[in-house]
């Protein structure tokens, strides 16, 4: 079993900010828009270095999505920045018509997703965003797991032609993936090979899945841990290959069970490879105020929850 | 340079032909929106046959070096489709596929099927001004001095996004943009002032920081000079708004003066009456 280590915790949103700045330097077509959350989205550096390619939109997210769609006409690659809640639910129709159906090359970059937003509470803790975005035809949905991967994903999506939803978060989390990684959209990353159970994790739950793998090993269970950073298109091949070997699976995500990664995996396995499936996520509930750790614990998104789910999945084989 | 550059007399003939297309298209599928289409026909014909600088073929999505047009109130697609076809973007015969299965001429305009001339989907109201402002800002970044045009319905101004975009365009001095509101005072459920009063639009847009003009949208003799005035008003630090008075259903007497023909197609008998009223010297119906 591979040991993953990290020297510091960093927030994934800062990975986005650093990636965006690098894009500014390497791709003159990249432009950025923000709806009054420059500091929160870590877009300050891009704004400072490329003021002519930065658009402060104000608290008007619907307009921001329309502007971004229009800016693609003439070859620009717009990156919009606001909280995940205001990047999706608030502007679903604008994204649907002006961006997704119109096939526009807009990158919707969404921070503060999920429960780990913390104290601001349920109004801001969107847990439905992946579901909304993955339902849209043409949309690619990406949820990287740490600072380095978020930076790499930010850079990679500029090279891809088409609308992308890039989801990241607020708290500092272990930064363990390689700084020089190449990010391949739609390509799952094998973290630890195993034979007894497949754990498919996305976003902030990837580190917890690695931890769960170690705890399971202490119990004599050999878990295979895979980072599903791209929820759409799903890496069907990697998932089927793994579940074909382990015969059972756990999904783990900071999202509603309805509409999330687990839901996509259930569809895939139901059609092609029925196998016991356990899902770690938020079960049809809104969040609340609290620290990120308290919330992840209360809503069943802890390392222990993944361990328990793996044991249940194995028992159902 | 406009690729057609027609005289007023020629524009009138084209407009009559376009109106014939509109009533025939909606009649053929017993659905669609003739009222606003007929009201805005002279505006579309003016843009595409006299005012705008563009290349119909090969159609270029990025439109660099061209003026761009966006239709925000996508339900008046019949007039746009007819004008695009008559201007050479695609074959006039394709108008017969309007709203039918496997057509590029969707009920509301879309890019998915690849119909030349269309750059974004519209139909869900209130989004077109934002898109046009974004495209205008890209033109500025690209140092492309051509203009961006957008048409909105007046009822559409009930959508809050329009006012977000209006604030933004003025704040950012997007002065390579000519927006037009089709001020026909009608929307689906009745008069605009009864449904949700728009009030004094000139003062509203002026208060938002726009340069505002008014025009009669059903009279080429005054509409063309108004469009020229709008062009002259660009480049002065303010977005330009034309409040264009039109009559819904213009050109077909029984469709005028009411909101009832907003989204209703004529029957066989009504079509014949409409076509008699829309006589042209040399009809070239598809």
């Amino acid at each position: 079993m591979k040991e993953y280590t990290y020297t510091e915790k960093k927030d994934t949103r800062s990975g986005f900010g650093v990636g965006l700045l690098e894009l500014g330097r390497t791709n003159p077509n990249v432009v950025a828009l923000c709806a009054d959350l420059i500091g929160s989205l870590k877009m300050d550096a891009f704004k400072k270095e490329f003021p002519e390619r930065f658009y402060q939109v104000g608290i008007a997210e619907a307009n921001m999505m329309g502007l971004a769609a229009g800016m693609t006409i003439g070859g620009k690659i717009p990156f919009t920045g606001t909280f995940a809640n205001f990047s999706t639910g608030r502007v679903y129709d604008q994204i649907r018509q002006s961006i997704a159906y119109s096939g526009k090359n807009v990158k919707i970059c969404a921070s503060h997703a999920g429960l780990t937003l913390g104290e601001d509470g349920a109004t801001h803790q969107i847990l439905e965003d992946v579901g909304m975005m993955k339902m849209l035809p043409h949309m690619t949905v990406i949820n990287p797991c740490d600072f380095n991967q978020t930076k790499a994903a930010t850079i990679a999506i500029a090279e891809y032609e088409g609308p992308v939803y890039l989801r990241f978060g607020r708290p500092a989390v272990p930064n363990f993936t390689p700084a020089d990684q190449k990010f391949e959209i739609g390509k799952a990353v094998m973290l630890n090979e195993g034979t007894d159970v497949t754990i498919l994790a996305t976003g902030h739950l990837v580190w917890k899945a690695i931890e769960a793998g170690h705890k399971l090993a202490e119990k004599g269970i050999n878990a295979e841990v895979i980072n599903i950073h791209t929820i759409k298109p799903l890496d069907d091949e990697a998932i089927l290959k793994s579940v074909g070997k382990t015969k059972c699976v756990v999904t783990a995500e900071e999202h509603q069970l309805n509409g999330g990664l687990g839901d996509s995996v259930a569809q895939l396995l139901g059609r092609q490879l029925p196998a016991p499936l356990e899902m770690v996520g938020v079960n049809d509930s809104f969040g609340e105020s609290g620290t990120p750790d308290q919330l992840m614990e209360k809503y069943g998104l802890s390392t222990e929850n993944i361990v328990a789910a793996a044991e249940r999945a194995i028992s159902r084989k | 340079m406009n690729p057609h550059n027609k005289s007023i007399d020629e524009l009138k003939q084209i407009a009559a032909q376009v109106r014939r297309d509109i009533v025939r298209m909606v009649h053929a599928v017993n659905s669609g929106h003739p009222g606003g289409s007929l009201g805005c026909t002279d505006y579309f014909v003016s843009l595409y046959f006299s005012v705008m600088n563009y290349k119909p073929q090969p159609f270029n999505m990025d439109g660099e070096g061209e003026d761009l047009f966006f239709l925000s109130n996508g339900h008046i697609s019949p007039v746009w489709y007819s004008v695009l076809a008559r201007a050479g973007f695609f074959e006039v015969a394709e108008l017969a596929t309007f709203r039918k299965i496997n057509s590029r001429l969707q009920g509301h305009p879309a890019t998915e099927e690849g119909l030349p001339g269309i750059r974004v989907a519209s139909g869900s109201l209130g989004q077109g001004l934002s898109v046009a402002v974004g495209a205008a800002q890209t033109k500025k970044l690209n140092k492309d001095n051509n203009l961006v045009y957008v048409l909105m319905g007046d009822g559409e101004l009930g959508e809050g996004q329009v006012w977000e975009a209006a604030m933004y365009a003025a704040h950012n001095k997007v002065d390579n943009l000519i927006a037009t509101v089709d001020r026909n005072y009608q929307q689906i459920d009745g008069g605009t002032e009864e449904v949700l009063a728009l009030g004094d639009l000139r003062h509203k847009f002026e208060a938002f920081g726009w340069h505002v003009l008014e025009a009669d949208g059903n009279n080429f003799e005054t509409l063309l000079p108004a469009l020229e005035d709008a062009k002259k008003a660009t480049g002065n630090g303010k977005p330009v708004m034309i409040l264009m008075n039109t009559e819904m259903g213009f050109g077909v007497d029984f469709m005028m003066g009411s909101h009832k023909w907003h989204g209703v197609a004529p029957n066989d008998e009504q079509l014949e009456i409409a076509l008699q009223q829309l006589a042209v010297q040399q009809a070239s119906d598809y």
Side-chain angles (χ1 to χ4, degrees):
Chain A
M1 177 179 281
K2 273 194 213 165
E3 291 288 341
Y4 289 91
T5 57
Y6 61 92
T7 53
E8 61 178 332
K9 288 188 174 183
K10 292 173 95 167
D11 48 346
T12 50
R13 58 182 166 146
S14 287
F16 164 69
V18 173
L20 185 66
L21 177 63
E22 187 168 319
L23 279 175
R25 291 171 179 164
T26 56
N27 189 334
N29 283 325
V30 167
V31 299
L33 303 87
C34 187
D36 197 33
L37 286 169
I38 296 169
S40 296
L41 268 287
K42 305 294 179 188
M43 296 170 94
D44 326 57
F46 183 96
K47 181 192 177 204
K48 189 174 173 203
E49 198 164 318
F50 307 103
E52 74 290 354
R53 284 194 270 150
F54 181 83
Y55 300 92
Q56 169 62 273
V57 176
I59 307 171
E61 296 84 4
N63 185 42
M64 179 165 73
M65 294 304 165
L67 291 170
M71 285 176 185
T72 65
I73 299 165
K76 298 299 170 229
I77 307 171
F79 282 63
T80 66
T82 182
F83 289 167
N85 191 17
F86 315 133
S87 294
T88 57
R90 187 171 185 97
V91 291
Y92 192 76
D93 189 44
Q94 284 76 18
I95 294 175
R96 181 176 181 274
Q97 174 172 288
S98 294
I99 296 175
Y101 183 42
S102 294
K104 295 303 178 204
N105 193 23
V106 174
K107 315 304 172 185
I108 301 160
C109 303
S111 185
H112 293 54
L115 293 172
T116 53
L117 164 69
E119 292 80 353
D120 279 347
T123 55
H124 288 49
Q125 290 161 348
I126 196 158
L127 294 162
E128 308 88 55
D129 55 327
V130 168
M132 281 187 276
M133 291 298 107
K134 82 176 189 183
M135 276 198 295
L136 287 171
H138 304 326
M139 186 64 74
T140 290
V141 179
I142 298 175
N143 187 195
C145 68
D146 69 359
F147 172 96
N148 284 341
Q149 190 162 72
T150 307
K151 179 187 170 191
T154 302
I155 292 165
I157 61 176
E159 294 297 312
Y160 166 81
E161 173 81 27
V164 173
Y165 178 63
L166 180 67
R167 180 197 216 226
F168 41 89
R170 176 171 181 263
V173 294
N175 185 29
F176 68 96
T177 65
D180 61 349
Q181 67 189 285
K182 178 167 168 49
F183 187 91
E184 290 184 74
I185 296 170
K187 191 85 178 158
V189 178
M190 177 66 75
L191 294 170
N192 262 315
E193 293 192 36
T195 53
D196 298 332
V197 59
T198 298
I199 302 175
L200 304 173
T202 189
H204 290 150
L205 271 290
V206 172
W207 180 258
K208 292 180 189 289
I210 291 171
E211 289 181 331
H214 286 287
K215 295 204 166 173
L216 288 164
E218 290 167 13
K219 298 181 177 203
I221 295 169
N222 186 5
E224 180 148 297
V225 180
I226 300 176
N227 174 6
I228 307 290
H229 55 59
T230 305
I231 295 165
K232 183 185 176 189
L234 196 62
D235 190 343
D236 293 359
E237 192 183 337
I239 293 169
L240 292 171
K241 187 178 169 197
S242 177
V243 178
K245 176 174 63 175
T246 63
K247 311 294 188 201
C248 69
V249 60
V250 171
T251 58
E253 61 194 309
E254 191 181 345
H255 190 272
Q256 298 289 351
L257 298 180
N258 282 327
L261 167 64
D263 170 296
S264 290
V265 170
Q267 282 193 46
L268 171 67
L269 297 181
R271 277 198 293 262
Q272 300 203 34
L273 186 64
L277 166 67
E278 294 289 333
M279 294 159 65
V280 172
V282 176
N283 188 10
D284 201 24
S285 147
F286 291 104
E288 66 180 83
S289 292
T291 67
D293 286 345
Q294 287 171 334
L295 291 163
M296 296 295 264
E297 175 82 24
K298 176 167 179 177
Y299 288 86
L301 275 60
S302 68
T303 301
E304 289 68 30
N305 292 117
I306 300 173
V307 170
E311 291 178 319
R312 288 198 305 275
I314 291 168
S315 72
R316 291 172 52 204
K317 278 205 242 185
Chain B
M1 184 70 189
N2 184 276
H4 299 282
N5 203 18
K6 301 290 191 191
S7 68
I8 286 184
D9 282 345
E10 290 170 316
L11 294 178
K12 287 178 180 172
Q13 290 299 307
I14 296 166
Q17 181 63 59
V18 167
R19 288 190 164 96
R20 291 178 71 87
D21 290 345
I22 292 166
V23 292
R24 293 181 73 242
M25 287 163 75
V26 297
H27 168 264
V29 286
N30 194 29
S31 71
H33 297 77
S37 293
L38 293 167
C40 289
T41 296
D42 304 315
Y43 168 78
F44 275 85
V45 169
S46 297
L47 285 188
Y48 279 90
F49 289 91
S50 177
V51 175
M52 285 204 309
N53 161 44
Y54 66 95
K55 264 192 318 199
Q57 287 192 2
F59 172 65
N60 179 267
M61 179 58 84
D62 283 332
E64 288 184 51
E66 301 181 41
D67 291 335
L68 304 180
F69 174 78
F70 294 97
L71 178 64
S72 190
N73 49 331
H75 57 273
I76 67 167
S77 58
V79 61
W80 197 17
Y81 293 152
S82 168
V83 167
L84 286 174
R86 302 269 168 200
F89 283 86
F90 54 87
E91 293 292 323
V92 171
E94 198 169 343
L95 295 177
T97 71
F98 174 62
R99 283 185 171 238
K100 292 179 180 166
I101 193 81
N102 298 324
S103 173
R104 300 196 292 180
L105 280 62
Q106 292 291 295
H108 294 79
T111 57
E112 180 140 309
E113 297 78 12
L115 189 69
I118 295 173
R119 292 186 167 90
V120 76
S122 60
S124 177
L125 295 171
Q127 301 186 28
L129 183 59
S130 299
V131 175
V133 172
Q137 289 197 296
T138 283
K139 283 220 177 287
K140 282 181 178 274
L141 268 186
N142 289 344
K143 307 205 183 315
D144 176 345
N145 291 325
N146 289 276
L147 298 173
V148 176
Y149 292 83
V150 57
L151 177 66
M152 294 177 278
D154 53 359
E156 180 176 9
L157 301 184
E159 296 284 3
Q161 187 182 346
V162 173
W163 302 98
E164 292 180 11
M167 278 175 75
Y168 178 92
H171 178 82
N172 289 284
K173 301 183 171 48
V174 182
D175 58 3
N176 54 345
L177 173 75
I178 300 176
T180 298
V181 169
D182 174 20
R183 190 66 171 122
N184 61 20
Y185 287 87
Q186 305 291 336
Q187 58 191 99
I188 297 181
D189 277 352
T192 56
E193 305 315 287
E194 297 157 33
V195 174
L196 181 63
L198 292 167
D200 186 342
L201 285 179
R202 170 182 274 278
H203 283 107
K204 282 183 176 167
F205 278 103
E206 282 177 347
F208 270 69
W210 286 58
H211 180 90
V212 181
L213 303 161
E214 291 180 46
D216 177 350
N218 295 130
N219 179 349
F220 284 114
E221 279 80 2
T222 56
L223 178 57
L224 287 168
L227 290 167
E228 285 307 316
D229 287 346
K231 270 192 189 179
K232 286 181 197 141
T234 61
N236 287 318
K238 287 184 174 186
V240 178
M241 170 62 69
I242 303 173
L243 299 174
M244 181 174 74
N245 292 302
T246 70
E247 183 138 14
M248 189 177 268
F250 191 85
V252 178
D253 60 7
F254 62 87
M255 291 185 175
M256 292 166 66
S258 151
H259 65 276
K260 290 178 184 147
W261 289 90
H262 171 91
V264 177
N267 62 28
D268 294 350
E269 190 186 341
Q270 290 163 334
L271 174 67
E272 284 313 311
I273 297 169
L275 290 174
Q276 283 167 22
Q277 294 178 15
L278 296 169
V280 284
Q281 287 161 9
Q282 290 178 311
S284 62
D285 295 335
Y286 62 86

